[in-house]
CSV table of all heavy atoms in Angstrom, one decimal:
chain,number,residue,atom,x,y,z
G,284,PRO,N,-27.9,-2.6,-12.2
G,284,PRO,CA,-29.1,-3.1,-12.9
G,284,PRO,C,-30.2,-3.5,-11.9
G,284,PRO,O,-31.4,-3.3,-12.2
G,284,PRO,CB,-28.7,-4.3,-13.7
G,284,PRO,CG,-27.2,-4.5,-13.4
G,284,PRO,CD,-26.7,-3.4,-12.6
G,285,ARG,N,-29.8,-4.0,-10.8
G,285,ARG,CA,-30.8,-4.4,-9.8
G,285,ARG,C,-31.6,-3.2,-9.3
G,285,ARG,O,-32.8,-3.3,-9.2
G,285,ARG,CB,-30.0,-5.0,-8.6
G,285,ARG,CG,-30.7,-6.0,-7.8
G,285,ARG,CD,-29.8,-6.6,-6.8
G,285,ARG,NE,-30.4,-6.2,-5.4
G,285,ARG,CZ,-30.3,-7.0,-4.4
G,285,ARG,NH1,-29.7,-8.2,-4.4
G,285,ARG,NH2,-30.7,-6.6,-3.3
G,286,PHE,N,-31.0,-2.1,-9.0
G,286,PHE,CA,-31.7,-1.0,-8.5
G,286,PHE,C,-32.5,-0.3,-9.6
G,286,PHE,O,-33.6,0.1,-9.4
G,286,PHE,CB,-30.6,0.1,-8.0
G,286,PHE,CG,-31.3,1.2,-7.3
G,286,PHE,CD1,-32.2,1.1,-6.3
G,286,PHE,CD2,-30.9,2.5,-7.5
G,286,PHE,CE1,-32.9,2.1,-5.7
G,286,PHE,CE2,-31.5,3.7,-7.0
G,286,PHE,CZ,-32.4,3.5,-6.0
G,287,ARG,N,-31.9,-0.4,-10.8
G,287,ARG,CA,-32.7,0.1,-12.0
G,287,ARG,C,-34.1,-0.7,-12.1
G,287,ARG,O,-35.1,-0.1,-12.3
G,287,ARG,CB,-31.9,0.1,-13.2
G,287,ARG,CG,-32.6,0.5,-14.5
G,287,ARG,CD,-31.7,0.2,-15.7
G,287,ARG,NE,-32.6,0.3,-16.8
G,287,ARG,CZ,-32.2,-0.1,-18.1
G,287,ARG,NH1,-30.9,-0.6,-18.2
G,287,ARG,NH2,-33.0,-0.1,-19.1
G,288,ALA,N,-33.9,-2.0,-12.1
G,288,ALA,CA,-35.0,-2.8,-12.2
G,288,ALA,C,-36.1,-2.6,-11.1
G,288,ALA,O,-37.3,-2.6,-11.4
G,288,ALA,CB,-34.7,-4.3,-12.2
G,289,TRP,N,-35.6,-2.3,-10.0
G,289,TRP,CA,-36.5,-2.1,-8.9
G,289,TRP,C,-37.3,-0.8,-9.1
G,289,TRP,O,-38.5,-0.7,-8.9
G,289,TRP,CB,-35.7,-2.0,-7.5
G,289,TRP,CG,-36.6,-1.7,-6.3
G,289,TRP,CD1,-37.4,-2.5,-5.7
G,289,TRP,CD2,-36.9,-0.3,-5.9
G,289,TRP,NE1,-38.1,-1.8,-4.7
G,289,TRP,CE2,-37.8,-0.5,-4.8
G,289,TRP,CE3,-36.4,0.9,-6.2
G,289,TRP,CZ2,-38.3,0.6,-4.1
G,289,TRP,CZ3,-36.8,1.9,-5.4
G,289,TRP,CH2,-37.8,1.8,-4.4
G,290,MET,N,-36.5,0.3,-9.6
G,290,MET,CA,-37.2,1.5,-9.8
G,290,MET,C,-38.2,1.3,-10.9
G,290,MET,O,-39.3,1.9,-10.8
G,290,MET,CB,-36.2,2.7,-10.1
G,290,MET,CG,-35.3,3.1,-9.0
G,290,MET,SD,-34.6,4.7,-9.3
G,290,MET,CE,-33.6,4.4,-10.7
G,291,GLU,N,-37.8,0.6,-11.9
G,291,GLU,CA,-38.8,0.4,-13.0
G,291,GLU,C,-40.0,-0.3,-12.4
G,291,GLU,O,-41.2,0.0,-12.8
G,291,GLU,CB,-38.2,-0.5,-14.1
G,291,GLU,CG,-37.3,0.5,-15.0
G,291,GLU,CD,-36.4,-0.4,-15.9
G,291,GLU,OE1,-36.5,-1.7,-15.9
G,291,GLU,OE2,-35.7,0.3,-16.7
G,292,SER,N,-39.8,-1.3,-11.5
G,292,SER,CA,-40.9,-2.0,-11.0
G,292,SER,C,-41.9,-1.1,-10.2
G,292,SER,O,-43.0,-1.4,-10.1
G,292,SER,CB,-40.5,-3.3,-10.2
G,292,SER,OG,-40.0,-2.8,-8.9
G,293,GLN,N,-41.3,-0.1,-9.6
G,293,GLN,CA,-42.0,0.9,-8.8
G,293,GLN,C,-42.7,1.9,-9.7
G,293,GLN,O,-43.3,2.8,-9.2
G,293,GLN,CB,-41.2,1.5,-7.8
G,293,GLN,CG,-40.5,0.5,-6.8
G,293,GLN,CD,-41.5,-0.3,-6.0
G,293,GLN,OE1,-42.4,0.3,-5.3
G,293,GLN,NE2,-41.4,-1.6,-6.1
G,294,GLY,N,-42.3,1.9,-11.0
G,294,GLY,CA,-43.0,2.9,-11.9
G,294,GLY,C,-42.4,4.3,-11.8
G,294,GLY,O,-43.0,5.3,-12.1
G,295,ILE,N,-41.1,4.3,-11.2
G,295,ILE,CA,-40.4,5.6,-11.2
G,295,ILE,C,-39.3,5.8,-12.0
G,295,ILE,O,-38.5,6.7,-11.9
G,295,ILE,CB,-40.1,6.0,-9.6
G,295,ILE,CG1,-39.2,4.8,-9.1
G,295,ILE,CG2,-41.4,6.1,-8.8
G,295,ILE,CD1,-38.5,5.1,-7.8
G,296,TRP,N,-39.1,4.9,-13.0
G,296,TRP,CA,-38.0,4.9,-13.9
G,296,TRP,C,-38.4,4.1,-15.2
G,296,TRP,O,-39.1,3.2,-15.1
G,296,TRP,CB,-36.8,4.2,-13.3
G,296,TRP,CG,-35.5,4.5,-14.0
G,296,TRP,CD1,-34.8,3.7,-14.9
G,296,TRP,CD2,-34.8,5.8,-14.0
G,296,TRP,NE1,-33.7,4.3,-15.3
G,296,TRP,CE2,-33.7,5.6,-14.8
G,296,TRP,CE3,-35.0,7.0,-13.4
G,296,TRP,CZ2,-32.7,6.6,-15.1
G,296,TRP,CZ3,-34.0,8.0,-13.6
G,296,TRP,CH2,-32.9,7.8,-14.5
G,297,ASP,N,-38.1,4.7,-16.3
G,297,ASP,CA,-38.4,4.0,-17.6
G,297,ASP,C,-37.2,4.1,-18.6
G,297,ASP,O,-36.2,4.7,-18.3
G,297,ASP,CB,-39.6,4.5,-18.1
G,297,ASP,CG,-39.5,6.0,-18.5
G,297,ASP,OD1,-38.5,6.5,-18.8
G,297,ASP,OD2,-40.6,6.7,-18.6
G,298,ALA,N,-37.4,3.5,-19.7
G,298,ALA,CA,-36.4,3.3,-20.7
G,298,ALA,C,-35.9,4.7,-21.2
G,298,ALA,O,-34.7,4.9,-21.4
G,298,ALA,CB,-36.8,2.5,-21.8
G,299,GLN,N,-36.8,5.6,-21.4
G,299,GLN,CA,-36.5,6.9,-21.9
G,299,GLN,C,-35.6,7.7,-20.8
G,299,GLN,O,-34.6,8.2,-21.2
G,299,GLN,CB,-37.8,7.7,-22.0
G,299,GLN,CG,-37.6,9.1,-22.7
G,299,GLN,CD,-36.7,9.0,-24.0
G,299,GLN,OE1,-36.9,8.0,-24.8
G,299,GLN,NE2,-35.8,9.8,-24.1
G,300,GLN,N,-35.9,7.6,-19.6
G,300,GLN,CA,-35.1,8.2,-18.5
G,300,GLN,C,-33.6,7.5,-18.5
G,300,GLN,O,-32.7,8.2,-18.3
G,300,GLN,CB,-35.7,8.1,-17.1
G,300,GLN,CG,-36.9,9.0,-17.0
G,300,GLN,CD,-37.7,8.6,-15.7
G,300,GLN,OE1,-38.4,7.5,-15.7
G,300,GLN,NE2,-37.9,9.5,-14.8
G,301,GLU,N,-33.6,6.2,-18.7
G,301,GLU,CA,-32.4,5.6,-18.7
G,301,GLU,C,-31.5,6.1,-19.8
G,301,GLU,O,-30.3,6.3,-19.7
G,301,GLU,CB,-32.6,4.0,-18.8
G,301,GLU,CG,-31.4,3.2,-18.8
G,301,GLU,CD,-30.6,3.2,-17.5
G,301,GLU,OE1,-31.2,3.4,-16.4
G,301,GLU,OE2,-29.4,2.8,-17.5
G,302,LYS,N,-32.2,6.2,-21.0
G,302,LYS,CA,-31.4,6.7,-22.1
G,302,LYS,C,-30.8,8.1,-21.9
G,302,LYS,O,-29.6,8.3,-22.2
G,302,LYS,CB,-32.4,6.6,-23.3
G,302,LYS,CG,-31.6,6.4,-24.7
G,302,LYS,CD,-32.6,6.3,-25.8
G,302,LYS,CE,-32.1,6.9,-27.0
G,302,LYS,NZ,-33.1,7.1,-28.0
G,303,SER,N,-31.6,8.9,-21.4
G,303,SER,CA,-31.1,10.3,-21.2
G,303,SER,C,-30.1,10.4,-20.2
G,303,SER,O,-29.1,11.1,-20.2
G,303,SER,CB,-32.3,11.3,-21.1
G,303,SER,OG,-33.0,11.1,-19.8
G,304,LEU,N,-30.2,9.6,-19.1
G,304,LEU,CA,-29.2,9.6,-18.0
G,304,LEU,C,-27.9,9.0,-18.6
G,304,LEU,O,-26.8,9.6,-18.3
G,304,LEU,CB,-29.7,8.7,-16.9
G,304,LEU,CG,-28.6,8.6,-15.7
G,304,LEU,CD1,-28.7,9.9,-14.9
G,304,LEU,CD2,-28.9,7.4,-14.7
G,305,ALA,N,-27.9,8.0,-19.4
G,305,ALA,CA,-26.8,7.4,-19.9
G,305,ALA,C,-26.0,8.4,-20.8
G,305,ALA,O,-24.8,8.5,-20.7
G,305,ALA,CB,-27.1,6.1,-20.8
G,306,ALA,N,-26.8,9.2,-21.5
G,306,ALA,CA,-26.3,10.2,-22.4
G,306,ALA,C,-25.6,11.3,-21.6
G,306,ALA,O,-24.5,11.7,-21.8
G,306,ALA,CB,-27.3,10.8,-23.3
G,307,ARG,N,-26.3,11.7,-20.5
G,307,ARG,CA,-25.7,12.7,-19.7
G,307,ARG,C,-24.4,12.3,-19.0
G,307,ARG,O,-23.4,13.0,-19.0
G,307,ARG,CB,-26.8,13.0,-18.6
G,307,ARG,CG,-26.3,14.0,-17.5
G,307,ARG,CD,-27.3,14.2,-16.4
G,307,ARG,NE,-26.7,14.9,-15.3
G,307,ARG,CZ,-27.2,14.8,-14.0
G,307,ARG,NH1,-28.3,14.2,-13.8
G,307,ARG,NH2,-26.5,15.4,-13.0
G,308,ILE,N,-24.5,11.0,-18.5
G,308,ILE,CA,-23.2,10.5,-17.9
G,308,ILE,C,-22.1,10.4,-18.9
G,308,ILE,O,-20.9,10.7,-18.6
G,308,ILE,CB,-23.5,9.2,-17.2
G,308,ILE,CG1,-24.3,9.4,-15.9
G,308,ILE,CG2,-22.3,8.4,-16.9
G,308,ILE,CD1,-24.9,8.2,-15.1
G,309,LYS,N,-22.4,9.9,-20.1
G,309,LYS,CA,-21.4,9.8,-21.1
G,309,LYS,C,-20.7,11.1,-21.4
G,309,LYS,O,-19.5,11.2,-21.4
G,309,LYS,CB,-22.0,9.1,-22.4
G,309,LYS,CG,-21.0,8.8,-23.4
G,309,LYS,CD,-21.6,7.8,-24.5
G,309,LYS,CE,-20.5,7.4,-25.5
G,309,LYS,NZ,-20.5,8.3,-26.7
G,310,GLY,N,-21.5,12.1,-21.4
G,310,GLY,CA,-21.0,13.5,-21.7
G,310,GLY,C,-20.2,14.0,-20.6
G,310,GLY,O,-19.1,14.6,-20.9
G,311,GLU,N,-20.6,13.7,-19.4
G,311,GLU,CA,-19.8,14.1,-18.2
G,311,GLU,C,-18.5,13.4,-18.1
G,311,GLU,O,-17.4,14.0,-17.7
G,311,GLU,CB,-20.6,14.0,-16.9
G,311,GLU,CG,-21.7,15.1,-16.8
G,311,GLU,CD,-22.6,14.9,-15.6
G,311,GLU,OE1,-23.2,13.8,-15.4
G,311,GLU,OE2,-22.6,15.8,-14.7
G,312,VAL,N,-18.5,12.1,-18.4
G,312,VAL,CA,-17.2,11.3,-18.4
G,312,VAL,C,-16.3,11.8,-19.5
G,312,VAL,O,-15.1,12.0,-19.2
G,312,VAL,CB,-17.5,9.8,-18.5
G,312,VAL,CG1,-16.3,9.1,-18.7
G,312,VAL,CG2,-18.3,9.3,-17.3
G,313,GLU,N,-16.9,12.1,-20.6
G,313,GLU,CA,-16.1,12.6,-21.7
G,313,GLU,C,-15.4,13.9,-21.3
G,313,GLU,O,-14.2,14.2,-21.5
G,313,GLU,CB,-17.1,12.8,-22.9
G,313,GLU,CG,-16.4,12.6,-24.3
G,313,GLU,CD,-15.7,11.3,-24.4
G,313,GLU,OE1,-16.3,10.2,-24.2
G,313,GLU,OE2,-14.5,11.3,-24.5
G,314,ASP,N,-16.3,14.8,-20.9
G,314,ASP,CA,-15.8,16.1,-20.4
G,314,ASP,C,-14.7,16.0,-19.3
G,314,ASP,O,-13.7,16.7,-19.4
G,314,ASP,CB,-17.0,16.9,-19.9
G,314,ASP,CG,-16.5,18.2,-19.1
G,314,ASP,OD1,-16.2,19.2,-19.7
G,314,ASP,OD2,-16.4,18.1,-17.8
G,315,ALA,N,-14.9,15.2,-18.3
G,315,ALA,CA,-14.0,15.1,-17.3
G,315,ALA,C,-12.6,14.5,-17.8
G,315,ALA,O,-11.6,15.0,-17.5
G,315,ALA,CB,-14.5,14.0,-16.2
G,316,THR,N,-12.7,13.6,-18.7
G,316,THR,CA,-11.5,13.0,-19.3
G,316,THR,C,-10.7,14.1,-20.1
G,316,THR,O,-9.5,14.3,-19.8
G,316,THR,CB,-11.8,11.9,-20.2
G,316,THR,OG1,-12.6,11.0,-19.5
G,316,THR,CG2,-10.6,11.1,-20.7
G,317,GLU,N,-11.4,14.8,-20.9
G,317,GLU,CA,-10.8,15.9,-21.7
G,317,GLU,C,-10.2,16.9,-20.8
G,317,GLU,O,-9.1,17.4,-21.0
G,317,GLU,CB,-11.8,16.5,-22.7
G,317,GLU,CG,-11.8,15.6,-24.0
G,317,GLU,CD,-13.1,15.9,-24.8
G,317,GLU,OE1,-13.6,17.1,-24.7
G,317,GLU,OE2,-13.5,15.0,-25.5
G,318,PHE,N,-11.0,17.3,-19.8
G,318,PHE,CA,-10.5,18.4,-18.9
G,318,PHE,C,-9.2,17.9,-18.1
G,318,PHE,O,-8.3,18.6,-18.1
G,318,PHE,CB,-11.6,18.6,-17.8
G,318,PHE,CG,-11.2,19.7,-16.8
G,318,PHE,CD1,-11.3,21.0,-17.0
G,318,PHE,CD2,-10.7,19.2,-15.5
G,318,PHE,CE1,-10.9,21.9,-16.1
G,318,PHE,CE2,-10.4,20.1,-14.5
G,318,PHE,CZ,-10.5,21.5,-14.8
G,319,ALA,N,-9.2,16.7,-17.7
G,319,ALA,CA,-8.0,16.2,-17.0
G,319,ALA,C,-6.8,16.0,-18.0
G,319,ALA,O,-5.7,16.4,-17.5
G,319,ALA,CB,-8.3,14.8,-16.4
G,320,LEU,N,-7.1,15.5,-19.1
G,320,LEU,CA,-5.9,15.4,-20.1
G,320,LEU,C,-5.4,16.8,-20.4
G,320,LEU,O,-4.1,16.9,-20.7
G,320,LEU,CB,-6.4,14.7,-21.4
G,320,LEU,CG,-6.6,13.3,-21.2
G,320,LEU,CD1,-7.3,12.7,-22.5
G,320,LEU,CD2,-5.3,12.5,-21.0
G,321,ALA,N,-6.2,17.8,-20.4
G,321,ALA,CA,-5.7,19.2,-20.7
G,321,ALA,C,-5.1,19.8,-19.6
G,321,ALA,O,-4.5,20.9,-19.6
G,321,ALA,CB,-6.9,20.0,-21.3
G,322,SER,N,-5.3,19.3,-18.3
G,322,SER,CA,-4.8,20.0,-17.1
G,322,SER,C,-3.3,19.7,-16.9
G,322,SER,O,-2.8,18.7,-17.4
G,322,SER,CB,-5.5,19.4,-15.8
G,322,SER,OG,-6.9,19.7,-15.9
Side-chain angles (χ1 to χ4, degrees):
Chain G
R285 204 177 116 145
F286 187 47
R287 174 188 164 189
W289 177 83
M290 287 201 301
E291 283 169 353
S292 77
Q293 301 298 306
I295 56 169
W296 194 253
D297 61 25
Q299 189 48 47
Q300 285 167 300
E301 179 68 21
K302 211 175 139 194
S303 62
L304 181 73
R307 174 184 166 198
I308 286 177
K309 189 162 182 268
E311 284 177 304
V312 171
E313 212 54 61
D314 164 78
T316 308
E317 277 162 27
F318 178 82
L320 284 170
S322 295

